[in-house]
Amino acid sequence: MKKAVWEQPGSLAEAFWKNGIADIPIYDMHGHMGSHNAIYFARCEAPEMVAHMRRIGVRRLVFSHHYSLMGSFRNKRVHAITARFPDILRMYVSISPHQTDFIAEDLDQYDSMAPLAIGFKFLPDYHKVKVTDPRYEPVLNFASERRLPILVHTWGGSPYDGPDVMLEVATRYPQVTFFMAHSFSGDLPGAKRVADACPNVYFELTSLPGQHTIIERLCADIGSHRLLFGTDMPWFDEYQHVGGILSADISEDDKHNILYRNVEKLLGKDW
Amino acid sequence: MKDIAFFDAQCAIGAPILGNARGGETAAGLLAEMERNGVDKALVAHANTEAAGAIFANENLLELIQADDVDNRLTGVWTILPAQCGELPPPDEFFARMAANRVGALNLFPVAHRWQACRLTIGRLMDAAAERRIPVFLGQRIMDGGWRGVFDFLREFPAATVIINGVSLWGPDRNIRPLLENFPGCHVELSEYWVPEGIADLARLYGAERLLYGSGYPRFGHGSTMLSIRHSGLPLEQVRQIASQNLERLLAQAQLA
């Protein structure tokens, strides 16, 4: 047999294969925390998640708590959890358009949650509210004024957060850096359309690494300089997702871009 | 790499009716990806069995494998049908044909092929397969009622040697753990089992010998699950079991002829 991707001398794949860790940081830009209605998570609390991430060298996980996205758990409590692991955890302030009083309070309190809070998380497909709905506007305006990132769950064909909706929003708010969670899963042409029109948009990869040829096509059509690594932790194993990047038929530079370089260009190394 | 051999339990080749084979139309495409990732062998089904049917898929799979697999790295999976229509030979003859054609396991698509997966339809064949320890793939995606269909099937054929596949990316522990706990012949292939530290948890609870490396090609690539098994945190001996030895054992113990 020829040398496999894991045996290429000096490559990231070789390092991770041999040691389980490499001399690079990994920035996981899409995480959660807490139990889930439909899934048993054995490791969904901070200590167990952090232990898993340390094994592979995750430098930062930015997460939004399931209970804040799906329930009424307040972001201040998420901040308290984040503060227990300040060397690795950062948070998105979870936004539910159905809780406008919570939104007002969260924006008032944002400064007390920063710098551990780095931006916001929208989950439109679950809340069934289009991102163009006026209830999101206070957050979009706040993020625009402060040039904060917003991680938006996106999905191909969605009337709430599909390419057409996000194209409109990203164009309207050019000062906001949008992280398109799941990169409009299933709609690569739609993702490319948004990428071409909106330089303020980055594409987050949760659930895509491991899918055969998807990473290759995203790199070819959008460019690895626009892609961000994420896992939905505690949904998906870090090794599984990193393995999907490392084994993709893309360049070594592409892999470096996805796992850490793009985030460091956006947010720096010290955040 | 060389200290761990990989035998992929979950692959498919052939042209799907809706296209999008992602290079998996031929065995050559699969073998090239195996080469690139360092996978030694694969157990391979036909990618278009649901639409084209068992008769075409079983024959075409052999043609595809024989066209490109010069080193005998691929072992086939054949699809079963109810006995009453006589579309497949009786069990002894069917199993002998499997042995003669390097086919090592069975699968079924009762919803797509419109039959009831139960003792009335395949009792004789399943009893013979269980006695001969021939592995049968079973998954929530292809059974009537999803997981309920898988549970019903195993209640009806509790002695079967089964490989649960396509477990779904939404953490499936609430379904696969009861199956592993209650059916000793039940195994799980891991192509869609992406649970953090989950491989080690399952190995500790039910034994590493119950878990099989699978890529899920061509929907999934080979490398991601290779790395998650390699760094599952299990001892190297158990990693090797999951990577290839368990599937080697299952195929070797099957008495086809």
Side-chain angles (χ1 to χ4, degrees):
Chain A
M1 287 172 78
K2 293 177 192 167
K3 280 196 172 182
V5 63
W6 310 108
E7 299 170 308
Q8 301 301 322
S11 67
L12 281 179
E14 183 195 45
F16 277 103
W17 185 265
K18 281 184 177 170
N19 309 315
I21 195 165
D23 191 22
I24 60 158
I26 295 171
Y27 294 94
D28 185 335
M29 299 305 287
H30 186 170
H32 298 288
M33 193 176 287
S35 65
H36 189 276
N37 67 329
I39 303 172
Y40 167 66
F41 290 129
R43 291 172 182 76
C44 58
E45 300 302 335
E48 295 82 14
M49 288 169 53
V50 166
H52 175 68
M53 292 186 292
R54 287 201 202 286
R55 285 215 292 130
I56 196 169
V58 171
R59 183 157 187 264
R60 293 281 182 273
L61 170 77
V62 193
F63 75 102
S64 53
H65 204 291
H66 282 136
Y67 300 166
S68 299
L69 290 168
M70 315 283 190
S72 54
F73 196 76
R74 305 311 316 282
N75 283 299
K76 280 296 269 186
R77 293 177 69 183
V78 181
H79 178 263
I81 295 169
T82 310
R84 287 166 52 203
F85 297 90
D87 62 323
I88 186 165
L89 294 182
R90 296 292 180 270
M91 63 179 279
Y92 296 111
V93 173
S94 301
I95 298 297
S96 167
H98 301 295
Q99 308 276 11
T100 50
D101 51 338
F102 286 7
I103 291 175
E105 191 178 295
D106 284 336
L107 296 182
D108 277 348
Q109 295 179 343
Y110 187 86
D111 286 335
S112 67
M113 293 188 276
L116 294 180
I118 69 150
F120 300 94
K121 169 69 188 274
F122 294 175
L123 194 60
D125 267 336
Y126 288 67
H127 293 135
K128 308 291 183 199
V129 177
K130 243 173 143 173
V131 187
T132 48
D133 188 281
R135 284 171 283 181
Y136 287 108
E137 280 179 10
V139 184
L140 288 160
N141 288 328
F142 187 93
S144 182
E145 286 162 15
R146 296 169 178 237
R147 300 189 171 216
L148 297 173
I150 302 178
L151 177 71
V152 185
H153 172 97
T154 65
W155 212 260
S158 168
Y160 307 107
D161 49 42
D164 291 340
V165 179
M166 293 314 301
L167 188 61
E168 183 181 338
V169 175
T171 305
R172 198 187 302 161
Y173 292 94
Q175 305 300 332
V176 177
T177 303
F178 288 96
F179 300 159
M180 302 304 186
H182 311 290
S183 301
F184 300 103
S185 185
D187 187 358
L188 185 53
K192 180 168 170 46
R193 202 153 38 87
V194 177
D196 289 346
C198 305
N200 54 326
V201 165
Y202 287 76
F203 295 83
E204 188 278 328
L205 296 174
T206 285
S207 80
L208 301 175
Q211 294 196 33
H212 186 41
T213 70
I214 295 286
I215 301 301
E216 288 88 336
R217 284 187 280 162
L218 283 165
C219 286
D221 289 358
I222 291 174
S224 66
H225 62 293
R226 304 282 293 277
L227 306 181
L228 306 176
F229 182 74
T231 63
D232 253 347
M233 166 65 56
W235 288 56
F236 300 136
D237 185 276
E238 293 284 347
Y239 282 103
Q240 195 285 333
H241 263 41
V242 170
I245 303 297
L246 298 176
S247 60
D249 195 6
I250 55 178
S251 74
E252 198 69 3
D253 260 346
D254 290 333
K255 296 172 188 178
H256 284 269
N257 285 346
I258 293 167
L259 291 172
Y260 69 97
R261 274 185 192 152
N262 295 337
V263 170
E264 292 191 343
K265 279 181 189 164
L266 275 170
L267 302 174
K269 293 184 178 180
D270 186 24
W271 55 280
Chain B
M1 268 315 286
K2 298 300 178 192
D3 60 342
I4 306 172
F6 280 85
F7 192 162
D8 186 347
Q10 182 64 31
C11 283
I13 55 172
I17 187 171
L18 297 178
N20 199 22
R22 300 182 184 184
E25 295 93 341
T26 63
L30 166 62
L31 288 163
E33 272 303 290
M34 289 167 58
E35 193 83 4
R36 200 177 65 77
N37 285 278
V39 174
D40 302 84
K41 296 196 279 187
L43 188 57
V44 57
H46 198 288
N48 198 33
T49 310
E50 287 184 80
I55 306 300
F56 170 80
N58 289 350
E59 289 175 9
N60 188 233
L61 179 69
L62 296 185
E63 292 166 5
L64 292 169
I65 291 175
Q66 286 162 6
D68 293 319
D69 184 25
V70 292
D71 297 323
N72 289 335
R73 293 166 65 188
L74 306 181
T75 299
V77 180
W78 268 359
T79 302
I80 59 172
L81 291 168
Q84 287 78 6
C85 297
E87 295 169 279
L88 300 177
D92 285 353
E93 188 183 336
F94 190 59
F95 298 152
R97 285 192 198 178
M98 290 172 65
N101 287 288
R102 201 179 168 81
V103 174
L106 300 169
N107 63 17
L108 62 158
F109 297 89
V111 174
H113 298 163
R114 301 196 181 202
W115 57 278
Q116 307 305 311
C118 64
R119 180 159 290 286
L120 296 177
T121 54
I122 52 169
R124 196 170 144 228
L125 184 140
M126 277 304 303
D127 287 344
E131 190 179 328
R132 290 161 174 261
R133 295 196 284 181
I134 299 168
V136 179
F137 281 94
L138 197 60
Q140 48 91 21
R141 213 168 273 135
I142 54 93
M143 297 299 284
D144 192 11
W147 282 111
R148 182 178 51 74
V150 174
F151 277 64
D152 289 347
F153 187 92
L154 276 165
R155 267 195 293 262
E156 193 138 24
F157 302 107
T161 298
V162 163
I163 300 171
I164 305 292
N165 63 3
V167 295
S168 137
L169 299 182
W170 282 54
D173 283 272
R174 289 173 183 167
N175 287 302
I176 61 174
R177 289 187 183 206
L179 296 174
L180 288 166
E181 180 182 290
N182 286 284
F183 299 103
C186 178
H187 305 75
V188 174
E189 72 82 14
L190 300 170
S191 62
E192 295 185 33
Y193 190 74
W194 296 4
V195 178
E197 311 282 347
I199 294 171
D201 285 345
L202 290 182
R204 275 191 289 270
L205 286 167
Y206 307 106
E209 69 277 8
R210 311 284 294 280
L211 308 176
L212 307 174
Y213 164 65
S215 68
Y217 178 93
R219 181 180 173 203
F220 298 108
H222 290 84
S224 52
T225 304
M226 292 175 75
L227 193 69
S228 62
I229 291 171
R230 166 76 178 86
H231 291 293
S232 58
L234 292 168
L236 184 58
E237 185 184 331
Q238 292 184 19
V239 168
R240 287 183 177 134
Q241 281 182 285
I242 296 169
S244 64
Q245 291 171 359
N246 293 337
L247 183 54
E248 296 275 15
R249 185 192 73 246
L250 288 180
L251 295 177
Q253 74 186 16
Q255 297 164 355
L256 288 165

